[in-house]
Short mmCIF file of all heavy atoms in Angstrom, two decimals:
data_model
loop_
_atom_site.label_atom_id
_atom_site.label_comp_id
_atom_site.label_asym_id
_atom_site.label_seq_id
_atom_site.Cartn_x
_atom_site.Cartn_y
_atom_site.Cartn_z
N TYR A 34 173.64 180.20 88.57
CA TYR A 34 174.13 179.77 87.29
C TYR A 34 174.87 180.88 86.51
O TYR A 34 175.38 180.76 85.42
CB TYR A 34 173.02 179.26 86.29
CG TYR A 34 171.90 180.29 86.19
CD1 TYR A 34 171.86 181.14 85.15
CD2 TYR A 34 170.77 180.26 87.10
CE1 TYR A 34 170.82 182.00 84.98
CE2 TYR A 34 169.87 181.19 86.89
CZ TYR A 34 169.92 182.10 85.90
OH TYR A 34 168.72 183.05 85.65
N ALA A 37 178.14 179.67 84.83
CA ALA A 37 178.14 178.45 84.17
C ALA A 37 178.80 178.47 82.82
O ALA A 37 178.90 179.58 82.16
CB ALA A 37 176.57 178.08 83.83
N TYR A 39 181.27 175.70 79.80
CA TYR A 39 181.86 174.47 79.47
C TYR A 39 183.29 174.84 79.34
O TYR A 39 183.72 175.91 78.88
CB TYR A 39 181.31 173.92 78.09
CG TYR A 39 179.95 173.42 78.18
CD1 TYR A 39 178.78 174.23 77.90
CD2 TYR A 39 179.75 172.06 78.41
CE1 TYR A 39 177.59 173.68 78.05
CE2 TYR A 39 178.51 171.58 78.31
CZ TYR A 39 177.35 172.44 78.14
OH TYR A 39 176.02 171.86 78.13
N ILE A 70 178.68 170.60 82.03
CA ILE A 70 178.75 171.94 82.26
C ILE A 70 179.41 172.16 83.70
O ILE A 70 179.20 171.36 84.49
CB ILE A 70 177.36 172.65 82.08
CG1 ILE A 70 177.57 174.12 81.88
CG2 ILE A 70 176.45 172.21 83.27
CD1 ILE A 70 176.20 174.84 81.42
N ALA A 84 166.76 174.58 75.07
CA ALA A 84 165.77 175.54 75.00
C ALA A 84 165.64 176.07 73.59
O ALA A 84 164.50 176.21 73.04
CB ALA A 84 166.03 176.78 75.88
N SER A 85 166.74 176.35 72.91
CA SER A 85 166.65 176.77 71.53
C SER A 85 167.97 176.56 70.85
O SER A 85 168.97 176.30 71.62
CB SER A 85 166.21 178.23 71.43
OG SER A 85 167.20 178.95 71.94
N VAL A 86 168.05 176.49 69.56
CA VAL A 86 169.28 176.53 68.70
C VAL A 86 169.07 177.47 67.53
O VAL A 86 168.14 177.68 67.06
CB VAL A 86 169.24 174.95 68.19
CG1 VAL A 86 170.61 174.79 67.30
CG2 VAL A 86 169.33 173.99 69.29
N ILE A 87 170.19 178.06 67.33
CA ILE A 87 170.33 178.87 66.03
C ILE A 87 171.40 178.25 65.13
O ILE A 87 172.21 177.76 65.76
CB ILE A 87 170.63 180.31 66.42
CG1 ILE A 87 171.78 180.67 67.22
CG2 ILE A 87 169.34 181.07 67.02
CD1 ILE A 87 172.26 182.05 67.29
N LYS A 122 174.40 176.82 67.42
CA LYS A 122 174.63 177.50 68.83
C LYS A 122 173.43 177.12 69.66
O LYS A 122 172.29 177.26 69.33
CB LYS A 122 174.60 179.12 68.69
CG LYS A 122 175.82 179.58 67.97
CD LYS A 122 176.73 180.00 69.04
CE LYS A 122 177.86 180.75 68.33
NZ LYS A 122 178.98 180.82 69.13
N VAL A 123 173.73 176.50 70.79
CA VAL A 123 172.80 175.98 71.74
C VAL A 123 172.47 176.88 72.94
O VAL A 123 173.40 177.41 73.59
CB VAL A 123 173.30 174.53 72.25
CG1 VAL A 123 172.47 173.99 73.31
CG2 VAL A 123 173.62 173.71 71.13
N THR A 124 171.25 177.00 73.22
CA THR A 124 170.95 177.75 74.49
C THR A 124 170.07 176.68 75.34
O THR A 124 169.26 175.99 74.94
CB THR A 124 169.81 178.80 74.23
OG1 THR A 124 170.54 179.77 73.44
CG2 THR A 124 169.27 179.50 75.43
N LEU A 125 170.56 176.62 76.63
CA LEU A 125 170.01 175.66 77.60
C LEU A 125 169.13 176.39 78.66
O LEU A 125 169.39 177.60 78.99
CB LEU A 125 171.17 175.02 78.42
CG LEU A 125 172.08 174.09 77.51
CD1 LEU A 125 173.19 173.63 78.53
CD2 LEU A 125 171.33 173.01 76.84
N LYS A 126 168.17 175.61 79.02
CA LYS A 126 167.27 176.16 80.19
C LYS A 126 167.73 175.26 81.44
O LYS A 126 167.81 173.92 81.27
CB LYS A 126 165.88 175.90 79.99
CG LYS A 126 164.93 176.23 81.18
CD LYS A 126 163.44 176.05 80.88
CE LYS A 126 162.66 176.43 82.00
NZ LYS A 126 161.22 176.05 81.78
N VAL A 127 168.09 175.90 82.52
CA VAL A 127 168.46 175.24 83.68
C VAL A 127 167.45 175.57 84.79
O VAL A 127 167.02 176.61 84.80
CB VAL A 127 169.93 175.62 84.14
CG1 VAL A 127 170.16 177.08 84.29
CG2 VAL A 127 170.39 174.87 85.44
N GLY A 134 166.63 179.50 84.79
CA GLY A 134 167.44 180.51 84.03
C GLY A 134 167.81 179.93 82.62
O GLY A 134 167.63 178.77 82.32
N MET A 135 168.17 180.83 81.72
CA MET A 135 168.58 180.51 80.42
C MET A 135 170.10 180.82 80.26
O MET A 135 170.61 181.81 80.81
CB MET A 135 167.78 181.32 79.38
CG MET A 135 166.23 181.18 79.53
SD MET A 135 165.74 179.67 79.16
CE MET A 135 165.79 179.66 77.33
N LEU A 136 170.79 179.82 79.62
CA LEU A 136 172.24 179.87 79.37
C LEU A 136 172.30 180.10 77.82
O LEU A 136 172.31 179.14 77.07
CB LEU A 136 172.94 178.78 79.70
CG LEU A 136 172.78 178.40 81.33
CD1 LEU A 136 173.43 177.11 81.69
CD2 LEU A 136 173.29 179.56 82.13
N TYR A 137 172.19 181.33 77.38
CA TYR A 137 172.19 181.68 75.94
C TYR A 137 173.54 181.36 75.18
O TYR A 137 174.48 181.87 75.70
CB TYR A 137 171.74 183.30 75.66
CG TYR A 137 170.37 183.44 76.25
CD1 TYR A 137 170.12 184.01 77.43
CD2 TYR A 137 169.30 183.19 75.46
CE1 TYR A 137 168.91 184.30 77.99
CE2 TYR A 137 167.99 183.43 75.94
CZ TYR A 137 167.88 183.95 77.13
OH TYR A 137 166.54 184.24 77.62
N ASP A 138 173.35 180.74 74.11
CA ASP A 138 174.45 180.38 73.16
C ASP A 138 175.73 179.99 74.05
O ASP A 138 176.87 180.31 73.73
CB ASP A 138 174.91 181.64 72.34
CG ASP A 138 173.78 182.21 71.57
OD1 ASP A 138 172.88 181.35 71.21
OD2 ASP A 138 173.72 183.37 71.18
N ILE A 139 175.52 179.04 74.87
CA ILE A 139 176.59 178.55 75.74
C ILE A 139 177.35 177.44 75.10
O ILE A 139 178.51 177.23 75.54
CB ILE A 139 175.93 178.10 77.13
CG1 ILE A 139 177.03 177.92 78.10
CG2 ILE A 139 175.08 176.79 76.96
CD1 ILE A 139 176.62 177.94 79.64
N PHE A 140 176.91 176.89 74.12
CA PHE A 140 177.62 175.70 73.55
C PHE A 140 177.48 175.68 71.96
O PHE A 140 176.42 176.10 71.44
CB PHE A 140 177.35 174.42 74.11
CG PHE A 140 178.23 173.29 73.91
CD1 PHE A 140 179.33 173.15 74.50
CD2 PHE A 140 177.87 172.34 72.82
CE1 PHE A 140 180.21 172.00 74.13
CE2 PHE A 140 178.72 171.29 72.47
CZ PHE A 140 179.96 171.26 73.18
N THR A 141 178.55 175.28 71.32
CA THR A 141 178.49 175.28 69.86
C THR A 141 178.73 173.91 69.27
O THR A 141 179.75 173.29 69.78
CB THR A 141 179.53 176.19 69.19
OG1 THR A 141 179.37 177.50 69.70
CG2 THR A 141 179.40 176.28 67.68
#
Side-chain angles (χ1 to χ4, degrees):
Y34 54 90
Y39 286 90
I70 198 166
S85 66
V86 176
I87 56 174
K122 290 264 191 195
V123 175
T124 295
L125 297 177
K126 177 181 179 184
V127 57
M135 301 296 280
L136 304 172
Y137 295 99
D138 301 335
I139 194 156
F140 195 79
T141 303

